[in-house]
Amino acid sequence: MSLLIKGGTIVTSTGRYNADLFVDGDKIKTIGTDLDMPADEVVDAKGKFVLPGAIDPHTHLAMPFMGTHAQDDYQTGTIAAACGGVTTVVDFDLQQKGESLLDAIERKKSWADGKTVVDFSLHPAVMDPRPEVIAEVKKAILDYGTPSFKIFMVYDFRVDDATMIKLLEETKKYGGLVQVHAENVYIIQHMNEILEKEGKLTPYYHAVSRPNIAEEEAVSRAAKMVELTGSRIYIVHLSSKEGLFKVKEARDRGIDVFAETCPQYLLLDEERYKESGFNGAKYVMSPPLRTKESNDALWTGINSGDVQVVATDHCPFDFNGKKDMFGKDDYKKIPNGAPGIETLLMLLHSEGVAKGRITLEKMVDVLSTGTARMFGLKDKGAVEVGKDADLVIFDPNQKFTITQSKLHMNVDYTPFEGREVTGMPVAVYSRGKKVAEWNGTQMDFVGEIGRGKFIKREPFEGF
Ligand code: URP
Ligand code: ZN
Ligand code: ZN
């Protein structure tokens, strides 16, 4: 298959220019002016942007969690990704008790087998940190191509600080990156006890139980472990102004603390928990939504370079049947998480670029180029000769009203219902093959089930 894209504006993380682009097979072969080689498909991209496909490095596909499982599997989740312009997904791979880390990678790869429609990789999550598991880090990085490792400072499967230190030391040796869910579990447990005694158990109190200070303290502590070991961490789903301040403080001192935030922490706030009835449960995620002040601080963090990546934390549970399964009378039993993989690019463009909060180039950086660099995806993340032809032809003026019925995620709601966005993909390509296109009203999936492949990533090379 070959593809010639003519007359578009190619956008990089540092600039934009008008050029034609020729794709042969999986790769971008030529970029230039007035290209006229014969191609199987010729696309007129005049007035459109040619973007690198977005990379979502924070998803929980098919993940067993809180008595149920995240509803998108590798098929529905990557179809939704494709329809939103996400052409690479790096999914969390939660090690089970007694399981080896390498077996966990093989297990989750087998769940994806024959199902993915865009490329994917895995971050092993260390949940049972036996010494022999920590010793598997080397093989996971060098042989399996999974150089990033998630740890949780909360939930039943959290690790202690001693484990964090050992993991930081081991990953440092081989170019690994530790990703941290940073919240102080003792603050949360204390708040839960108080709220339980007071009978405050509606979804609103989920946010009250996890105050900003819980994130602030955990980010600060994790940063100290990095200082001690000389290693590096990446804070996932950073949500608060206070947490960001701790990231910035460490970075200003030359400590390698990186951070990711998500559209929900940029665009939604804690008022959502006050929606009528049980509606607040739609936003029960950890960390919780914060205030507008934190929303604004995180946009500033993106512009200052203290937040390098925007991801989704896609972890969908139906509002009817899952969110209310055990949690109707107790926020602590509501499965934590929300859908977002399909709305990442449209929201960041519309709320970020179109509203003047970030530049188009910054958007490309935090969704593609910087993300590829952070996670060792050497063939992804930029519109450049030799890279995989993971491309989005994007119409910056196309309007779309986000509504669950026009999305492809396997869940019965979106936290962004009714929001009008400006800018939508016209067509999305994964390694040169069209996987999604705009049909005049919404995105259609037009790809091939099972064409997505597992990508071995490179060790961390600095950021
Ligand atoms: O609420 C969330 N974020 N659910 C998914 C698991 C996690 O903590 O990332
Ligand atoms: Zn988390
Ligand atoms: Zn998550």
Side-chain angles (χ1 to χ4, degrees), residues 141 145-148 174-176 372-379 455-461:
I141 297 174
T146 58
S148 40
Y174 307 105
R373 205 164 127 221
M374 185 71 76
F375 291 107
L377 286 158
K378 73 172 179 7
D379 293 332
I455 305 289
K456 278 192 173 185
R457 295 181 287 122
E458 302 289 315
F460 185 85
E461 278 190 347

Short mmCIF file of all heavy atoms in Angstrom, two decimals, residues 141 145-148 174-176 372-379 455-461:
data_model
loop_
_atom_site.label_atom_id
_atom_site.label_comp_id
_atom_site.label_asym_id
_atom_site.label_seq_id
_atom_site.Cartn_x
_atom_site.Cartn_y
_atom_site.Cartn_z
N ILE A 141 13.46 -4.87 30.49
CA ILE A 141 13.92 -3.70 29.71
C ILE A 141 14.66 -4.16 28.45
O ILE A 141 14.32 -3.73 27.34
CB ILE A 141 14.86 -2.81 30.56
CG1 ILE A 141 14.11 -2.23 31.76
CG2 ILE A 141 15.47 -1.69 29.70
CD1 ILE A 141 14.97 -1.44 32.74
N GLY A 145 11.50 -5.31 25.90
CA GLY A 145 11.16 -3.99 25.37
C GLY A 145 10.10 -3.27 26.16
O GLY A 145 9.29 -2.52 25.62
N THR A 146 10.11 -3.48 27.47
CA THR A 146 9.14 -2.78 28.34
C THR A 146 9.91 -2.02 29.44
O THR A 146 10.01 -2.50 30.58
CB THR A 146 8.14 -3.76 28.98
OG1 THR A 146 8.86 -4.75 29.73
CG2 THR A 146 7.30 -4.47 27.93
N PRO A 147 10.47 -0.88 29.11
CA PRO A 147 11.37 -0.19 30.06
C PRO A 147 10.69 0.69 31.11
O PRO A 147 11.39 1.38 31.85
CB PRO A 147 12.23 0.66 29.12
CG PRO A 147 11.36 0.94 27.95
CD PRO A 147 10.45 -0.23 27.79
N SER A 148 9.37 0.68 31.20
CA SER A 148 8.71 1.51 32.22
C SER A 148 7.89 0.62 33.14
O SER A 148 7.25 -0.34 32.67
CB SER A 148 7.82 2.55 31.54
OG SER A 148 7.16 1.98 30.43
N TYR A 174 19.62 0.02 34.03
CA TYR A 174 19.37 -0.46 32.66
C TYR A 174 18.55 0.51 31.81
O TYR A 174 18.10 0.16 30.73
CB TYR A 174 18.65 -1.82 32.72
CG TYR A 174 19.37 -2.80 33.59
CD1 TYR A 174 18.88 -3.12 34.86
CD2 TYR A 174 20.57 -3.36 33.18
CE1 TYR A 174 19.57 -4.00 35.68
CE2 TYR A 174 21.27 -4.24 34.00
CZ TYR A 174 20.76 -4.55 35.25
OH TYR A 174 21.45 -5.41 36.06
N GLY A 175 18.34 1.72 32.30
CA GLY A 175 17.57 2.68 31.51
C GLY A 175 16.07 2.48 31.65
O GLY A 175 15.33 2.62 30.67
N GLY A 176 15.63 2.18 32.84
CA GLY A 176 14.19 2.04 33.08
C GLY A 176 13.60 3.32 33.67
O GLY A 176 14.33 4.22 34.11
N ALA A 372 6.69 9.80 22.85
CA ALA A 372 7.53 8.77 22.21
C ALA A 372 8.93 8.77 22.84
O ALA A 372 9.51 7.71 23.10
CB ALA A 372 7.61 9.02 20.71
N ARG A 373 9.43 9.96 23.09
CA ARG A 373 10.78 10.08 23.68
C ARG A 373 10.80 9.55 25.11
O ARG A 373 11.71 8.83 25.53
CB ARG A 373 11.16 11.56 23.65
CG ARG A 373 12.63 11.79 23.63
CD ARG A 373 12.91 13.22 23.22
NE ARG A 373 13.76 13.87 24.19
CZ ARG A 373 13.61 15.11 24.63
NH1 ARG A 373 12.63 15.86 24.16
NH2 ARG A 373 14.44 15.61 25.50
N MET A 374 9.78 9.90 25.86
CA MET A 374 9.70 9.47 27.27
C MET A 374 9.68 7.95 27.37
O MET A 374 10.27 7.36 28.28
CB MET A 374 8.41 10.05 27.89
CG MET A 374 8.24 9.80 29.36
SD MET A 374 9.37 10.74 30.38
CE MET A 374 8.66 12.38 30.33
N PHE A 375 8.98 7.31 26.43
CA PHE A 375 8.74 5.87 26.57
C PHE A 375 9.49 5.01 25.55
O PHE A 375 9.17 3.84 25.37
CB PHE A 375 7.23 5.59 26.54
CG PHE A 375 6.54 6.12 27.77
CD1 PHE A 375 5.74 7.25 27.70
CD2 PHE A 375 6.75 5.53 29.00
CE1 PHE A 375 5.13 7.77 28.85
CE2 PHE A 375 6.16 6.04 30.15
CZ PHE A 375 5.35 7.16 30.08
N GLY A 376 10.49 5.59 24.89
CA GLY A 376 11.35 4.78 24.03
C GLY A 376 10.66 4.21 22.80
O GLY A 376 11.02 3.12 22.34
N LEU A 377 9.70 4.97 22.26
CA LEU A 377 9.00 4.52 21.04
C LEU A 377 9.71 5.17 19.84
O LEU A 377 9.26 6.18 19.31
CB LEU A 377 7.53 4.94 21.12
CG LEU A 377 6.68 4.12 22.08
CD1 LEU A 377 5.44 4.89 22.52
CD2 LEU A 377 6.27 2.78 21.46
N LYS A 378 10.83 4.56 19.43
CA LYS A 378 11.72 5.28 18.51
C LYS A 378 11.13 5.47 17.10
O LYS A 378 11.54 6.39 16.41
CB LYS A 378 13.10 4.63 18.47
CG LYS A 378 13.17 3.31 17.73
CD LYS A 378 14.62 2.89 17.59
CE LYS A 378 14.85 1.59 16.90
NZ LYS A 378 13.79 0.85 16.28
N ASP A 379 10.21 4.62 16.69
CA ASP A 379 9.64 4.77 15.34
C ASP A 379 8.34 5.55 15.33
O ASP A 379 7.66 5.63 14.31
CB ASP A 379 9.38 3.38 14.74
CG ASP A 379 10.68 2.65 14.47
OD1 ASP A 379 11.70 3.33 14.23
OD2 ASP A 379 10.69 1.41 14.52
N ILE A 455 4.91 -3.42 20.22
CA ILE A 455 6.13 -2.66 19.93
C ILE A 455 7.11 -2.82 21.09
O ILE A 455 6.79 -2.50 22.23
CB ILE A 455 5.80 -1.15 19.76
CG1 ILE A 455 4.72 -0.91 18.70
CG2 ILE A 455 7.06 -0.34 19.48
CD1 ILE A 455 5.14 -1.15 17.28
N LYS A 456 8.29 -3.30 20.78
CA LYS A 456 9.36 -3.34 21.78
C LYS A 456 9.95 -1.95 21.88
O LYS A 456 10.33 -1.36 20.87
CB LYS A 456 10.46 -4.31 21.34
CG LYS A 456 10.17 -5.74 21.64
CD LYS A 456 11.43 -6.56 21.43
CE LYS A 456 11.22 -7.98 21.88
NZ LYS A 456 12.44 -8.77 21.80
N ARG A 457 10.02 -1.44 23.09
CA ARG A 457 10.51 -0.07 23.28
C ARG A 457 11.98 -0.06 23.70
O ARG A 457 12.52 -1.07 24.14
CB ARG A 457 9.63 0.65 24.31
CG ARG A 457 8.20 0.82 23.80
CD ARG A 457 7.30 1.54 24.78
NE ARG A 457 6.92 0.76 25.93
CZ ARG A 457 7.15 1.08 27.20
NH1 ARG A 457 7.80 2.20 27.50
NH2 ARG A 457 6.75 0.30 28.19
N GLU A 458 12.60 1.12 23.55
CA GLU A 458 14.01 1.30 23.88
C GLU A 458 14.15 1.80 25.31
O GLU A 458 13.25 2.49 25.82
CB GLU A 458 14.63 2.38 22.97
CG GLU A 458 14.53 2.10 21.49
CD GLU A 458 15.44 0.97 21.06
OE1 GLU A 458 16.61 0.94 21.49
OE2 GLU A 458 14.95 0.09 20.31
N PRO A 459 15.29 1.54 25.95
CA PRO A 459 15.53 2.12 27.27
C PRO A 459 15.49 3.65 27.23
O PRO A 459 15.68 4.26 26.17
CB PRO A 459 16.94 1.64 27.63
CG PRO A 459 17.15 0.43 26.77
CD PRO A 459 16.38 0.66 25.50
N PHE A 460 15.24 4.24 28.38
CA PHE A 460 15.14 5.69 28.53
C PHE A 460 16.48 6.34 28.16
O PHE A 460 17.54 5.92 28.63
CB PHE A 460 14.80 6.01 29.99
CG PHE A 460 14.55 7.46 30.26
CD1 PHE A 460 13.30 8.01 30.05
CD2 PHE A 460 15.58 8.27 30.73
CE1 PHE A 460 13.07 9.36 30.31
CE2 PHE A 460 15.35 9.61 30.99
CZ PHE A 460 14.10 10.15 30.79
N GLU A 461 16.41 7.39 27.34
CA GLU A 461 17.66 8.01 26.89
C GLU A 461 17.84 9.42 27.38
O GLU A 461 18.68 10.17 26.89
CB GLU A 461 17.69 8.01 25.35
CG GLU A 461 18.16 6.68 24.82
CD GLU A 461 18.43 6.72 23.32
OE1 GLU A 461 18.02 7.70 22.68
OE2 GLU A 461 19.05 5.77 22.84
#
